[in-house]
């Protein structure tokens, strides 16, 4: 890489962007003392049960749903008439990377995203989680993983990202213990971890009762990762290999890959021809065997199709999207660096058609995974090219449906499945569950794009009506614009996987 920009400068840039928790608290409407809020005459869509309940009332007190039904008596509660509107559980982004203070949380909340999983141990995300839990910042519920644990050398340059490099079983076990001591909710595995180190990492994490998730290391078959207890697999890079009639040849080629530290573009270049071969030697029999194991082991797949779309169509990507007004200049600069230094640096224009065709293969694979009963979860990989906090969860839902997944099942992947995975009270519209809701002007079961037609959000019981939601977006836009003129050195939060 030619740049000397660092991840730390990105965090510093985020710290000066200034949209405070007080702005969010001012935008959220507090409930009447003791009475709660009654959302009346709504059509409730509850993916966990698969039920659609017309003309019901959802009664919220504090941060909890206390009753749902047609005969709920909302005595003493403030009433919010939702006649003609649809209510779904708050959405989840299960693959995020913190970018900037005053940006991420506003975009999540304004887009109805009330649960996020931070995948790179960001100190910024830990700070947000603590402030949100303390009630001093309005934002989604955070689960924060460890720093990335990769092989040595890592395909990440440590000057760009705080990555832990392990070379054998002993260093892997030590890394797990250190990350648990640092407060990680789970251990994040990366691409180049050696097989013996991975097995030791899995054993150590399980010994401490901490989940491990992330990439499937290149040298580890998915079936083995499932047997060892990996909780979730991120992205779609490795899925085709065990569905190929040439798997043995592919495995030998993977063993031959040699990369220097920080050579992320080289990793893409090395893996792509193997993906291409696997896609063209697809075996339905092998796929069914693998998918059955993933389903049986309940290994969640987080496809991050929004990220893959940016990667697979990198040459023709329109980077001047209207959503870019919500990101600070440093984040936009990081995406440009990623596009140039990671995605396209080692990619010849003659390969573009292959990359585009791989995206179609990824969509077909996601449909097959769903049909086989492999649990799916929505995740976007925020910080990568053409991915935006909050907004891209709706893109992911649209891509799920375009892959052939029914809208109710797509909503399940964005609500009930993440809640089950995390063991939280979120993801359902039912008594004793968290009051995290998205209020829509149109039915998402008719057109999944209707999840973007938000007219209100409830996060931890705080109700933001349409005016408040739009005010949050306006505040984020103003914060992003204010950062543009600052003398900031953009870092690269991208592709932290």
């Amino acid at each position: 890489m030619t740049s000397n920009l660092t991840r730390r400068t990105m965090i510093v840039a985020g710290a000066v962007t200034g949209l405070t928790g007080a702005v969010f608290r001012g935008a959220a409407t507090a409930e009447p003392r003791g009475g709660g809020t009654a959302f009346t005459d709504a059509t409730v869509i509850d993916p966990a049960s698969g039920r659609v309940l017309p003309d019901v009332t959802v009664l919220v007190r504090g941060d909890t749903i206390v009753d749902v039904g047609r005969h709920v008596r909302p005595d003493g509660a403030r009433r919010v008439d939702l006649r003609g509107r649809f209510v779904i559980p708050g959405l989840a982004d299960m693959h995020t990377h913190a970018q900037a203070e005053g940006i991420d949380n506003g975009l999540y909340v304004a887009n109805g995203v009330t649960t996020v999983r931070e995948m790179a141990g960001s100190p910024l995300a830990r700070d947000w989680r603590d402030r949100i839990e303390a009630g001093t910042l309005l934002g989604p519920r955070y689960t924060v993983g460890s720093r990335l644990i990769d092989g040595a050398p890592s395909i990440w340059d440590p000057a760009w990202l705080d990555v832990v490099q392990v070379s054998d079983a002993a260093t892997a076990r030590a890394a797990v213990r250190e990350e648990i001591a640092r407060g990680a909710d789970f251990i994040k595995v990366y691409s180049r971890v050696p097989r013996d180190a991975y097995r030791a990492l899995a054993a150590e994490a399980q010994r401490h009762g901490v989940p491990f998730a992330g990439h499937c290391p290149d040298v580890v078959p998915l079936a083995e990762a499932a047997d060892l207890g990996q909780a979730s697999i991120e992205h779609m890079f490795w899925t085709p290999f065990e569905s190929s009639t040439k798997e043995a040849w592919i495995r030998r080629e993977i063993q031959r890959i040699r990369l220097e530290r920080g050579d992320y573009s080289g990793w893409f270049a090395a893996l792509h021809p193997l993906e291409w071969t696997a896609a063209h030697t697809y075996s339905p029999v092998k796929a069914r065997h693998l998918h059955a194991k993933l389903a049986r082991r309940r290994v969640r797949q987080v496809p991050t199709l929004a990220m893959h779309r940016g990667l697979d169509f990198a040459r023709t990507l329109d980077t001047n999207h209207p959503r870019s007004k919500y990101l600070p200049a440093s984040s936009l600069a990081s995406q440009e660096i990623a596009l140039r230094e990671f995605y396209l640096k080692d990619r010849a224009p003659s390969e573009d058609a292959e990359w585009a065709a791989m995206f179609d293969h990824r969509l077909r694979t996601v449909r097959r995974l769903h049909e086989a009963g492999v649990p799916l979860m929505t995740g976007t990989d925020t910080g990568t090219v053409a991915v935006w906090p909050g907004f891209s969860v709706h893109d992911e839902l649209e891509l799920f449906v375009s892959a052939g997944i029914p809208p109710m099942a797509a909503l399940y992947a964005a609500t009930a499945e993440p809640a089950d995975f995390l063991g939280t009270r979120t993801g359902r519209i039912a008594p004793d569950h968290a009051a995290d809701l998205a209020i829509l002007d149109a039915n998402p079961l008719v057109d999944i794009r209707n999840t973007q037609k938000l007219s209100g959000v409830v996060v931890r019981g705080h109700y933001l009506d349409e005016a408040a939601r739009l005010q949050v977006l306006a505040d984020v836009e103003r914060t992003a614009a204010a950062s543009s003129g600052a003398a900031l050195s953009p870092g690269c939060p991208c592709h932290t996987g």
Side-chain angles (χ1 to χ4, degrees):
M1 296 180 185
T2 58
S3 174
N4 63 357
L5 304 174
T6 69
R7 173 71 167 173
R8 183 175 299 277
T9 57
M10 180 62 215
I11 293 173
V12 172
V16 301
T17 55
L19 185 60
T20 67
V23 173
F24 292 127
R25 292 196 303 278
T29 304
E31 66 179 35
R33 185 182 298 272
T37 302
F39 299 93
T40 64
D41 299 305
T43 296
V44 165
I45 299 172
D46 183 36
S49 64
R51 299 173 68 193
V52 179
L53 307 172
D55 304 318
V56 301
T57 292
V58 180
L59 181 60
V60 171
R61 290 197 177 103
D63 64 355
T64 302
I65 298 168
V66 297
D67 207 352
V68 180
R70 290 188 176 184
H71 305 294
V72 174
R73 296 176 60 85
D75 298 339
R78 178 186 61 237
R79 296 177 184 236
V80 178
D81 185 357
L82 296 185
R83 194 179 310 274
R85 292 187 174 129
F86 299 80
V87 180
I88 62 173
L91 302 171
D93 190 336
M94 295 296 285
H95 195 120
T96 71
H97 299 287
Q99 294 185 82
E101 179 81 20
I103 302 294
D104 298 47
N105 294 309
L107 293 182
Y108 287 131
V109 169
N111 279 281
V113 176
T114 56
T115 294
V116 300
R117 185 173 59 144
E118 160 66 34
M119 297 298 292
S122 164
L124 202 56
R126 286 200 297 270
D127 175 59
W128 294 340
R129 177 190 60 191
D130 294 345
R131 288 157 59 194
I132 290 166
E133 293 292 338
T136 60
L137 176 68
L138 188 67
R141 301 169 193 272
Y142 273 89
T143 296
V144 183
S146 69
R147 294 175 294 174
L148 306 188
I149 298 181
D150 201 5
S154 171
I155 55 177
W156 269 105
D157 186 336
W160 284 58
L161 183 74
D162 189 9
V163 58
V164 181
Q165 300 179 76
V166 299
S167 56
D168 54 26
T171 54
R173 289 182 182 275
V176 170
R177 292 193 296 270
E178 180 180 357
E179 294 308 301
I180 292 172
R182 289 166 62 97
D185 294 324
F186 63 94
I187 299 300
K188 171 65 183 292
V189 186
Y190 217 59
S191 305
R192 301 297 292 168
V193 175
R195 194 171 183 179
D196 62 336
Y198 174 79
R199 296 179 71 89
L201 178 152
E204 191 69 14
Q206 290 172 342
R207 188 170 76 86
H208 289 275
V210 175
F212 65 102
H215 291 201
C216 184
D218 296 341
V219 295
V220 176
L222 272 174
E224 182 176 344
D227 286 338
L228 290 172
Q230 184 157 334
S232 71
I233 304 292
E234 314 300 307
H235 316 309
M236 302 295 293
F237 294 115
W238 308 273
T239 312
F241 296 158
E242 279 153 273
S243 302
S244 168
T245 58
K246 296 192 69 175
E247 181 186 2
W249 177 84
I250 291 170
R251 294 286 172 206
R252 288 195 296 272
E253 291 301 303
I254 287 173
Q255 292 289 344
R256 294 190 180 100
I257 294 174
R258 296 291 183 269
L259 298 168
E260 298 297 322
R261 189 177 70 179
D263 191 11
Y264 213 121
S265 63
W267 181 75
F268 281 138
L271 223 61
H272 171 70
L274 304 181
E275 284 190 290
W276 184 248
T277 296
H280 286 79
T281 54
Y282 172 76
S283 165
V285 173
K286 293 195 70 179
R288 283 196 296 270
H289 181 76
L290 172 63
H291 297 171
K293 170 164 281 192
L294 296 176
R296 188 168 61 251
R297 297 290 192 186
R298 296 286 296 163
V299 180
R300 273 69 168 196
Q301 174 74 58
V302 185
T304 64
L305 291 171
M307 179 281 293
H308 278 293
R309 182 169 60 181
L311 173 65
D312 293 340
F313 296 95
R315 190 90 55 190
T316 57
L317 208 59
D318 180 8
T319 58
N320 295 315
H321 197 285
R323 295 172 183 171
S324 294
K325 66 184 178 182
Y326 296 114
L327 294 183
S330 52
S331 294
L332 297 175
S334 295
Q335 293 199 15
E336 288 293 335
I337 293 170
L339 186 63
R340 182 179 69 249
E341 295 291 331
F342 295 168
Y343 288 11
L344 295 176
K345 181 179 178 181
D346 294 319
R347 185 188 308 185
S350 59
E351 297 175 355
D352 289 351
E354 288 185 4
W355 282 87
M358 277 305 305
F359 188 73
D360 289 335
H361 182 75
R362 301 188 209 284
L363 292 178
R364 290 192 296 272
T365 302
V366 169
R367 186 191 71 245
R368 291 164 181 151
L369 289 166
H370 169 70
E371 291 171 348
V374 178
L376 303 176
M377 298 192 298
T378 50
T380 65
D381 206 359
T382 51
T384 56
V385 179
V387 175
W388 298 266
F391 290 105
S392 287
V393 174
H394 301 280
D395 298 338
E396 194 74 6
L397 285 168
E398 189 175 349
L399 288 167
F400 270 42
V401 173
S402 69
I405 296 175
M408 183 69 89
L411 290 173
Y412 189 96
T415 57
E417 191 64 59
D420 183 66
F421 178 82
L422 296 171
T424 59
R425 296 184 304 119
T426 59
R428 283 212 66 181
I429 303 179
D432 298 321
H433 283 72
D436 291 346
L437 308 169
I439 300 167
L440 312 176
D441 284 337
N443 189 347
L445 301 180
V446 173
D447 186 340
I448 196 63
R449 291 173 296 181
N450 287 337
T451 61
Q452 301 174 49
K453 296 181 179 178
L454 284 151
S455 60
V457 176
V458 181
V459 56
R460 295 174 180 260
H462 294 278
Y463 170 49
L464 282 75
D465 62 15
E466 177 66 351
R469 194 183 73 85
L470 293 176
Q471 183 60 54
V472 169
L473 286 174
D475 290 337
V476 171
E477 182 180 358
R478 184 165 52 251
T479 299
S483 74
S484 299
L488 303 176
S489 298
C492 191
C494 44
H495 246 291
T496 47

